[in-house]
Amino acid sequence: MAVCFQFQSPLKPITFPSSATKKVPIFRCKASFSTATTTEVEPVFTSVKSFAPATVANLGPGFDFLGAAVDGLGDYVSLSIDSSVSPGHVSISEISGSSKLSPNPLFNCAGIAAIATMKMLNIRSYGLSLKLEKGLPLGSGLGSSAASAAAAAVAVNELFGAKLGVDQLVLAGLESEAKVSGYHADNIAPAVMGGFVLIKSYDPLELKPLVFPQSQELFFILVSPEFEAPTKKMRAALPTEIGMPHHVWNCSQAGALVASVLEGDVVALGKALSSDKIVEPKRAPLIPGMEAVKKAAIKAGAFGCTISGAGPTAVAVIDNEEKGKEIGQKMVEAFLEEGHLRSVAMVKRLDRVGARLIDSVPI
Protein backbone atom coordinates (compact mmCIF):
# COMPACT_ATOMS: atom_id res chain seq x y z
CA MET A 1 0.00 0.00 0.00
CA ALA A 2 2.85 2.38 0.76
CA VAL A 3 3.77 4.76 -2.02
CA CYS A 4 6.53 7.28 -1.43
CA PHE A 5 8.24 9.85 -3.54
CA GLN A 6 11.43 11.60 -4.56
CA PHE A 7 11.16 14.83 -6.48
CA GLN A 8 13.46 16.28 -9.08
CA SER A 9 12.54 19.89 -8.39
CA PRO A 10 11.19 21.93 -5.42
CA LEU A 11 7.45 21.62 -4.93
CA LYS A 12 5.37 24.71 -5.48
CA PRO A 13 1.60 25.18 -5.51
CA ILE A 14 0.15 25.36 -8.98
CA THR A 15 -1.06 28.69 -10.33
CA PHE A 16 -3.07 29.14 -13.48
CA PRO A 17 -1.93 32.05 -15.65
CA SER A 18 -4.63 34.07 -17.39
CA SER A 19 -3.10 33.57 -20.79
CA ALA A 20 -1.62 30.62 -22.64
CA THR A 21 1.35 32.80 -23.58
CA LYS A 22 2.69 32.75 -20.01
CA LYS A 23 5.02 29.99 -18.90
CA VAL A 24 3.20 27.07 -17.29
CA PRO A 25 5.07 24.74 -14.90
CA ILE A 26 5.66 21.09 -15.63
CA PHE A 27 5.41 18.90 -12.54
CA ARG A 28 7.84 15.99 -12.38
CA CYS A 29 7.85 13.30 -9.75
CA LYS A 30 9.39 9.87 -9.42
CA ALA A 31 7.91 7.10 -7.31
CA SER A 32 10.00 5.45 -4.60
CA PHE A 33 9.27 3.83 -1.26
CA SER A 34 10.10 6.50 1.33
CA THR A 35 7.77 9.01 2.91
CA ALA A 36 7.66 12.55 1.56
CA THR A 37 8.39 13.97 5.03
CA THR A 38 10.92 12.64 7.54
CA THR A 39 9.03 13.91 10.59
CA GLU A 40 5.36 13.53 11.40
CA VAL A 41 3.31 16.67 10.77
CA GLU A 42 0.66 17.94 13.16
CA PRO A 43 -2.98 18.63 12.24
CA VAL A 44 -4.17 22.23 11.86
CA PHE A 45 -7.88 21.35 11.77
CA THR A 46 -10.05 18.92 13.69
CA SER A 47 -12.17 18.31 10.58
CA VAL A 48 -12.30 19.34 6.94
CA LYS A 49 -14.57 18.91 3.94
CA SER A 50 -13.25 18.78 0.39
CA PHE A 51 -14.66 18.60 -3.14
CA ALA A 52 -13.21 17.16 -6.34
CA PRO A 53 -14.74 17.61 -9.79
CA ALA A 54 -15.84 15.20 -12.48
CA THR A 55 -13.45 14.77 -15.37
CA VAL A 56 -13.52 13.98 -19.08
CA ALA A 57 -10.59 11.74 -19.99
CA ASN A 58 -9.02 10.97 -23.39
CA LEU A 59 -10.81 13.83 -25.20
CA GLY A 60 -10.88 11.69 -28.34
CA PRO A 61 -7.32 11.06 -29.56
CA GLY A 62 -5.66 11.74 -26.19
CA PHE A 63 -6.06 8.23 -24.76
CA ASP A 64 -4.49 8.06 -21.27
CA PHE A 65 -2.63 11.38 -21.63
CA LEU A 66 -5.26 14.15 -21.89
CA GLY A 67 -8.09 15.09 -19.56
CA ALA A 68 -10.20 18.01 -18.38
CA ALA A 69 -12.14 18.88 -15.23
CA VAL A 70 -15.86 19.65 -15.35
CA ASP A 71 -17.51 22.31 -13.20
CA GLY A 72 -20.50 21.62 -10.96
CA LEU A 73 -20.26 17.82 -10.69
CA GLY A 74 -18.18 15.77 -8.29
CA ASP A 75 -17.65 14.03 -4.97
CA TYR A 76 -17.28 15.31 -1.40
CA VAL A 77 -15.15 13.94 1.42
CA SER A 78 -15.51 14.91 5.09
CA LEU A 79 -12.53 13.97 7.25
CA SER A 80 -12.00 14.31 10.99
CA ILE A 81 -9.51 13.30 13.65
CA ASP A 82 -11.07 10.41 15.55
CA SER A 83 -9.58 9.02 18.76
CA SER A 84 -11.60 5.81 18.33
CA VAL A 85 -9.66 4.98 15.14
CA SER A 86 -6.26 3.35 15.53
CA PRO A 87 -3.38 5.82 15.06
CA GLY A 88 -2.12 5.88 11.48
CA HIS A 89 -5.34 4.35 10.15
CA VAL A 90 -8.45 5.53 8.28
CA SER A 91 -12.00 4.37 8.97
CA ILE A 92 -14.81 5.00 6.49
CA SER A 93 -17.79 5.82 8.70
CA GLU A 94 -20.35 6.66 6.01
CA ILE A 95 -20.91 6.45 2.24
CA SER A 96 -23.86 8.22 0.66
CA GLY A 97 -24.91 8.30 -2.98
CA SER A 98 -23.93 4.71 -3.73
CA SER A 99 -24.72 1.34 -2.17
CA LYS A 100 -22.07 -0.54 -4.18
CA LEU A 101 -18.91 0.81 -2.58
CA SER A 102 -16.97 -1.04 0.11
CA PRO A 103 -16.55 0.69 3.49
CA ASN A 104 -13.19 -1.09 3.82
CA PRO A 105 -10.61 1.66 3.15
CA LEU A 106 -8.30 -0.87 1.51
CA PHE A 107 -10.90 -1.49 -1.21
CA ASN A 108 -12.36 2.00 -1.55
CA CYS A 109 -10.98 4.72 -3.84
CA ALA A 110 -11.19 7.41 -1.18
CA GLY A 111 -9.71 5.13 1.47
CA ILE A 112 -6.75 4.06 -0.67
CA ALA A 113 -5.89 7.66 -1.57
CA ALA A 114 -6.28 8.81 2.04
CA ILE A 115 -3.92 6.07 3.26
CA ALA A 116 -1.37 6.92 0.55
CA THR A 117 -1.48 10.60 1.54
CA MET A 118 -1.08 9.75 5.22
CA LYS A 119 2.01 7.68 4.36
CA MET A 120 3.49 10.60 2.43
CA LEU A 121 2.95 12.85 5.45
CA ASN A 122 4.27 10.19 7.83
CA ILE A 123 1.09 10.29 9.93
CA ARG A 124 1.40 7.72 12.73
CA SER A 125 -0.19 9.34 15.80
CA TYR A 126 -3.69 10.16 14.55
CA GLY A 127 -6.61 8.06 13.36
CA LEU A 128 -9.00 9.55 10.82
CA SER A 129 -12.70 9.08 10.16
CA LEU A 130 -13.88 9.61 6.57
CA LYS A 131 -17.31 10.23 5.08
CA LEU A 132 -17.76 9.98 1.31
CA GLU A 133 -20.59 11.70 -0.56
CA LYS A 134 -20.83 10.38 -4.11
CA GLY A 135 -22.11 12.93 -6.57
CA LEU A 136 -21.02 10.87 -9.57
CA PRO A 137 -22.43 7.51 -10.64
CA LEU A 138 -20.09 4.54 -10.88
CA GLY A 139 -18.92 3.48 -14.33
CA SER A 140 -20.19 6.67 -15.93
CA GLY A 141 -17.08 7.79 -17.79
CA LEU A 142 -16.92 10.96 -15.68
CA GLY A 143 -14.01 10.02 -13.45
CA SER A 144 -16.05 8.79 -10.48
CA SER A 145 -13.18 6.90 -8.84
CA ALA A 146 -10.75 9.77 -9.47
CA ALA A 147 -13.09 12.32 -7.88
CA SER A 148 -13.31 10.25 -4.70
CA ALA A 149 -9.54 9.75 -4.62
CA ALA A 150 -8.75 13.40 -5.31
CA ALA A 151 -11.17 14.66 -2.66
CA ALA A 152 -9.72 12.25 -0.07
CA ALA A 153 -6.09 13.12 -0.84
CA VAL A 154 -6.80 16.84 -0.62
CA ALA A 155 -8.77 16.40 2.61
CA VAL A 156 -5.89 14.58 4.35
CA ASN A 157 -3.37 17.10 3.05
CA GLU A 158 -5.42 20.10 4.19
CA LEU A 159 -6.12 18.56 7.61
CA PHE A 160 -2.37 18.47 8.20
CA GLY A 161 -1.48 21.91 6.88
CA ALA A 162 -1.30 21.42 3.11
CA LYS A 163 2.32 20.25 3.10
CA LEU A 164 2.10 18.32 -0.18
CA GLY A 165 2.14 19.71 -3.71
CA VAL A 166 -0.33 18.83 -6.44
CA ASP A 167 2.08 16.37 -8.03
CA GLN A 168 2.21 14.33 -4.81
CA LEU A 169 -1.57 14.46 -4.49
CA VAL A 170 -1.91 13.15 -8.04
CA LEU A 171 0.40 10.27 -7.18
CA ALA A 172 -1.66 9.45 -4.08
CA GLY A 173 -4.77 9.37 -6.25
CA LEU A 174 -2.96 7.41 -8.91
CA GLU A 175 -2.26 4.64 -6.41
CA SER A 176 -6.03 4.40 -5.93
CA GLU A 177 -6.75 4.47 -9.67
CA ALA A 178 -4.21 1.72 -10.29
CA LYS A 179 -6.08 -0.61 -7.97
CA VAL A 180 -9.51 0.22 -9.37
CA SER A 181 -9.26 0.88 -13.09
CA GLY A 182 -5.63 0.91 -14.16
CA TYR A 183 -2.53 3.08 -13.95
CA HIS A 184 -3.69 6.12 -15.89
CA ALA A 185 -3.67 9.76 -14.75
CA ASP A 186 -5.98 11.39 -17.29
CA ASN A 187 -8.80 11.54 -14.71
CA ILE A 188 -6.94 11.99 -11.43
CA ALA A 189 -4.61 14.74 -12.71
CA PRO A 190 -7.39 17.14 -13.83
CA ALA A 191 -9.49 16.16 -10.79
CA VAL A 192 -6.69 17.40 -8.53
CA MET A 193 -5.36 20.26 -10.67
CA GLY A 194 -8.43 21.49 -12.58
CA GLY A 195 -8.52 22.65 -16.19
CA PHE A 196 -6.96 20.66 -19.03
CA VAL A 197 -3.94 18.53 -18.17
CA LEU A 198 -1.43 16.78 -20.42
CA ILE A 199 0.37 13.74 -18.98
CA LYS A 200 3.75 14.09 -20.67
CA SER A 201 5.26 10.99 -19.05
CA TYR A 202 4.37 8.24 -16.60
CA ASP A 203 7.91 7.27 -15.59
CA PRO A 204 8.67 9.68 -14.11
CA LEU A 205 5.22 11.23 -13.91
CA GLU A 206 5.23 14.60 -15.68
CA LEU A 207 2.10 16.75 -15.68
CA LYS A 208 1.60 19.88 -17.74
CA PRO A 209 -1.44 22.13 -17.25
CA LEU A 210 -2.88 23.41 -20.53
CA VAL A 211 -4.42 26.80 -19.91
CA PHE A 212 -7.63 27.47 -21.82
CA PRO A 213 -7.98 31.27 -22.18
CA GLN A 214 -10.29 32.89 -19.62
CA SER A 215 -11.78 35.12 -22.31
CA GLN A 216 -13.15 32.20 -24.33
CA GLU A 217 -16.39 30.32 -23.69
CA LEU A 218 -16.36 26.53 -23.55
CA PHE A 219 -19.23 24.24 -22.59
CA PHE A 220 -19.22 20.47 -22.25
CA ILE A 221 -22.48 18.75 -23.19
CA LEU A 222 -22.56 15.57 -21.11
CA VAL A 223 -25.20 12.96 -21.87
CA SER A 224 -25.19 9.97 -19.51
CA PRO A 225 -27.36 6.95 -20.38
CA GLU A 226 -28.67 4.37 -17.92
CA PHE A 227 -25.92 1.93 -18.80
CA GLU A 228 -22.78 0.99 -16.91
CA ALA A 229 -19.47 0.67 -18.72
CA PRO A 230 -16.80 -0.54 -16.26
CA THR A 231 -13.41 0.87 -17.12
CA LYS A 232 -11.65 -2.51 -16.95
CA LYS A 233 -14.15 -4.03 -19.38
CA MET A 234 -13.86 -1.12 -21.80
CA ARG A 235 -10.06 -1.23 -21.67
CA ALA A 236 -10.16 -4.93 -22.49
CA ALA A 237 -11.88 -4.06 -25.78
CA LEU A 238 -8.92 -2.04 -27.05
CA PRO A 239 -6.66 -3.30 -29.82
CA THR A 240 -3.27 -4.72 -28.85
CA GLU A 241 -1.71 -3.50 -32.09
CA ILE A 242 -2.41 -0.51 -34.34
CA GLY A 243 -1.35 0.34 -37.86
CA MET A 244 1.09 3.13 -38.63
CA PRO A 245 -1.49 5.28 -40.54
CA HIS A 246 -3.85 5.33 -37.54
CA HIS A 247 -0.94 6.01 -35.19
CA VAL A 248 0.18 9.01 -37.25
CA TRP A 249 -3.39 10.30 -37.57
CA ASN A 250 -4.12 10.10 -33.85
CA CYS A 251 -0.82 11.75 -32.96
CA SER A 252 -1.52 14.65 -35.31
CA GLN A 253 -5.04 15.09 -33.94
CA ALA A 254 -3.84 14.99 -30.35
CA GLY A 255 -1.39 17.74 -31.23
CA ALA A 256 -4.18 19.72 -32.86
CA LEU A 257 -6.29 19.29 -29.74
CA VAL A 258 -3.54 20.63 -27.47
CA ALA A 259 -3.03 23.61 -29.79
CA SER A 260 -6.76 24.35 -29.85
CA VAL A 261 -6.93 24.33 -26.04
CA LEU A 262 -4.04 26.78 -25.72
CA GLU A 263 -5.50 29.02 -28.43
CA GLY A 264 -9.05 28.85 -27.06
CA ASP A 265 -10.31 27.62 -30.42
CA VAL A 266 -13.44 25.64 -29.52
CA VAL A 267 -14.26 24.80 -33.15
CA ALA A 268 -10.83 23.22 -33.71
CA LEU A 269 -11.04 21.56 -30.31
CA GLY A 270 -14.31 19.91 -31.32
CA LYS A 271 -12.91 18.77 -34.63
CA ALA A 272 -9.93 17.11 -32.94
CA LEU A 273 -12.16 15.67 -30.22
CA SER A 274 -14.17 13.81 -32.88
CA SER A 275 -11.17 12.41 -34.73
CA ASP A 276 -10.07 9.31 -32.79
CA LYS A 277 -9.49 6.30 -35.08
CA ILE A 278 -8.08 3.89 -32.49
CA VAL A 279 -10.08 3.77 -29.23
CA GLU A 280 -13.53 5.17 -30.00
CA PRO A 281 -14.21 2.77 -32.93
CA LYS A 282 -13.70 -0.19 -30.56
CA ARG A 283 -15.68 1.19 -27.64
CA ALA A 284 -18.61 2.91 -29.35
CA PRO A 285 -20.26 -0.35 -30.53
CA LEU A 286 -20.30 -1.53 -26.89
CA ILE A 287 -22.49 1.43 -25.86
CA PRO A 288 -25.99 1.10 -27.39
CA GLY A 289 -26.76 4.10 -29.58
CA MET A 290 -23.42 5.87 -29.17
CA GLU A 291 -22.66 6.17 -32.87
CA ALA A 292 -26.11 7.67 -33.52
CA VAL A 293 -25.67 10.04 -30.56
CA LYS A 294 -22.44 11.39 -32.02
CA LYS A 295 -24.09 11.98 -35.39
CA ALA A 296 -27.06 13.68 -33.72
CA ALA A 297 -24.78 15.99 -31.72
CA ILE A 298 -22.84 17.15 -34.76
CA LYS A 299 -25.98 17.51 -36.86
CA ALA A 300 -27.48 19.69 -34.12
CA GLY A 301 -24.47 22.01 -34.19
CA ALA A 302 -21.91 20.60 -31.78
CA PHE A 303 -18.31 21.31 -32.76
CA GLY A 304 -17.38 17.74 -31.90
CA CYS A 305 -18.42 14.68 -29.92
CA THR A 306 -16.79 11.56 -28.48
CA ILE A 307 -16.97 9.13 -25.58
CA SER A 308 -16.07 10.56 -22.19
CA GLY A 309 -13.37 8.34 -20.75
CA ALA A 310 -14.40 4.70 -21.00
CA GLY A 311 -18.05 5.70 -21.37
CA PRO A 312 -20.97 5.40 -21.48
CA THR A 313 -21.30 9.20 -21.19
CA ALA A 314 -21.08 11.05 -24.49
CA VAL A 315 -19.36 14.44 -24.45
CA ALA A 316 -19.77 17.20 -27.01
CA VAL A 317 -18.41 20.75 -27.03
CA ILE A 318 -19.91 24.11 -27.94
CA ASP A 319 -19.35 27.79 -27.11
CA ASN A 320 -22.94 28.70 -26.18
CA GLU A 321 -24.86 27.33 -23.20
CA GLU A 322 -28.36 27.60 -24.67
CA LYS A 323 -27.24 25.96 -27.89
CA GLY A 324 -25.66 23.28 -25.75
CA LYS A 325 -29.00 22.51 -24.13
CA GLU A 326 -30.60 22.07 -27.56
CA ILE A 327 -27.81 19.74 -28.65
CA GLY A 328 -28.11 17.77 -25.41
CA GLN A 329 -31.81 17.16 -26.07
CA LYS A 330 -31.05 15.76 -29.52
CA MET A 331 -28.43 13.47 -28.02
CA VAL A 332 -30.92 12.24 -25.41
CA GLU A 333 -33.42 11.48 -28.17
CA ALA A 334 -30.79 9.54 -30.13
CA PHE A 335 -29.87 7.40 -27.11
CA LEU A 336 -33.55 6.54 -26.65
CA GLU A 337 -34.39 5.94 -30.31
CA GLU A 338 -31.26 4.08 -31.39
CA GLY A 339 -29.93 2.62 -28.16
CA HIS A 340 -33.22 2.20 -26.28
CA LEU A 341 -31.57 3.88 -23.30
CA ARG A 342 -32.90 6.68 -21.17
CA SER A 343 -30.33 9.37 -20.50
CA VAL A 344 -29.77 12.72 -18.83
CA ALA A 345 -28.11 15.75 -20.45
CA MET A 346 -26.10 18.42 -18.65
CA VAL A 347 -24.26 21.46 -19.95
CA LYS A 348 -21.23 22.37 -17.83
CA ARG A 349 -18.27 24.71 -17.94
CA LEU A 350 -14.60 23.85 -17.51
CA ASP A 351 -13.56 23.57 -13.85
CA ARG A 352 -10.37 25.61 -13.56
CA VAL A 353 -9.71 24.97 -9.85
CA GLY A 354 -9.68 21.23 -9.25
CA ALA A 355 -9.97 19.53 -5.87
CA ARG A 356 -10.27 22.00 -3.02
CA LEU A 357 -11.07 22.57 0.62
CA ILE A 358 -14.61 23.88 1.10
CA ASP A 359 -15.02 23.78 4.89
CA SER A 360 -12.87 23.34 7.98
CA VAL A 361 -12.98 23.42 11.77
CA PRO A 362 -9.76 24.72 13.36
CA ILE A 363 -8.19 23.09 16.39
Side-chain angles (χ1 to χ4, degrees):
M1 293 289 298
V3 169
C4 308
F5 310 88
Q6 295 174 342
F7 293 88
Q8 297 176 341
S9 59
L11 298 174
K12 297 180 181 179
I14 183 172
T15 56
F16 291 96
S18 59
S19 160
T21 61
K22 296 183 180 180
K23 187 176 181 180
V24 179
I26 297 175
F27 296 98
R28 298 182 177 89
C29 36
K30 185 174 182 179
S32 71
F33 289 93
S34 60
T35 56
T37 60
T38 57
T39 58
E40 183 175 13
V41 297
E42 295 295 316
V44 297
F45 300 111
T46 59
S47 65
V48 296
K49 186 173 184 178
S50 62
F51 169 82
T55 48
V56 173
N58 301 339
L59 299 169
F63 178 71
D64 274 7
F65 64 86
L66 286 172
V70 177
D71 185 47
L73 297 170
D75 288 358
Y76 296 86
V77 164
S78 298
L79 192 71
S80 60
I81 297 172
D82 190 336
S83 60
S84 69
V85 179
S86 299
H89 290 73
V90 175
S91 173
I92 298 179
S93 59
E94 183 181 334
I95 300 173
S96 60
S98 174
S99 60
K100 297 182 179 181
L101 296 176
S102 172
N104 185 334
L106 298 177
F107 300 99
N108 181 287
C109 300
I112 296 168
I115 292 168
T117 309
M118 290 179 72
K119 289 182 182 296
M120 291 181 192
L121 292 169
N122 202 22
I123 304 302
R124 303 185 305 273
S125 303
Y126 301 92
L128 305 180
S129 178
L130 185 153
K131 295 182 181 179
L132 173 62
E133 299 174 46
K134 289 296 299 178
L136 295 173
L138 307 182
S140 61
L142 292 172
S144 178
S145 60
S148 296
V154 166
V156 173
N157 189 42
E158 292 290 340
L159 191 73
F160 290 94
K163 304 295 185 182
L164 303 178
V166 291
D167 44 4
Q168 293 166 297
L169 297 176
V170 170
L171 277 170
L174 193 52
E175 182 175 354
S176 173
E177 288 285 83
K179 288 181 169 60
V180 175
S181 59
Y183 195 83
H184 56 92
D186 47 348
N187 286 115
I188 189 64
V192 171
M193 300 166 67
F196 289 90
V197 180
L198 167 67
I199 294 87
K200 291 189 64 180
S201 168
Y202 278 94
D203 185 18
L205 185 66
E206 294 186 20
L207 310 171
K208 183 173 180 61
L210 304 174
V211 182
F212 187 84
Q214 292 274 1
S215 59
Q216 299 299 109
E217 290 278 27
L218 169 63
F219 294 93
F220 295 105
I221 307 158
L222 303 166
V223 182
S224 300
E226 293 181 352
F227 182 82
E228 191 168 326
T231 301
K232 286 187 177 180
K233 176 182 177 181
M234 299 302 279
R235 291 181 82 86
L238 301 181
T240 56
E241 296 181 355
I242 58 173
M244 184 60 72
H246 283 176
H247 166 70
V248 172
W249 171 262
N250 264 42
C251 287
S252 69
Q253 295 308 300
L257 196 151
V258 169
S260 67
V261 169
L262 298 176
E263 294 170 355
D265 187 340
V266 186
V267 175
L269 192 161
K271 184 177 180 181
L273 187 86
S274 293
S275 67
D276 176 29
K277 290 186 177 181
I278 297 173
V279 177
E280 184 184 313
K282 296 296 183 181
R283 286 178 167 174
L286 302 180
I287 304 170
M290 178 59 73
E291 291 158 317
V293 169
K294 180 173 182 174
K295 292 177 182 178
I298 294 173
K299 183 178 179 180
F303 297 148
C305 180
T306 191
I307 303 169
S308 177
T313 295
V315 57
V317 292
I318 196 69
D319 59 0
N320 180 278
E321 186 173 13
E322 290 305 313
K323 182 64 175 177
K325 293 177 181 178
E326 296 175 11
I327 295 167
Q329 183 56 41
K330 295 298 183 182
M331 294 168 71
V332 167
E333 292 172 4
F335 259 131
L336 185 60
E337 292 173 7
E338 299 296 330
H340 307 293
L341 296 175
R342 290 185 295 178
S343 59
V344 176
M346 300 169 285
V347 181
K348 299 292 182 180
R349 294 179 184 271
L350 177 71
D351 181 302
R352 297 175 182 268
V353 180
R356 61 265 203 185
L357 181 70
I358 60 172
D359 196 15
S360 61
V361 177
I363 292 177

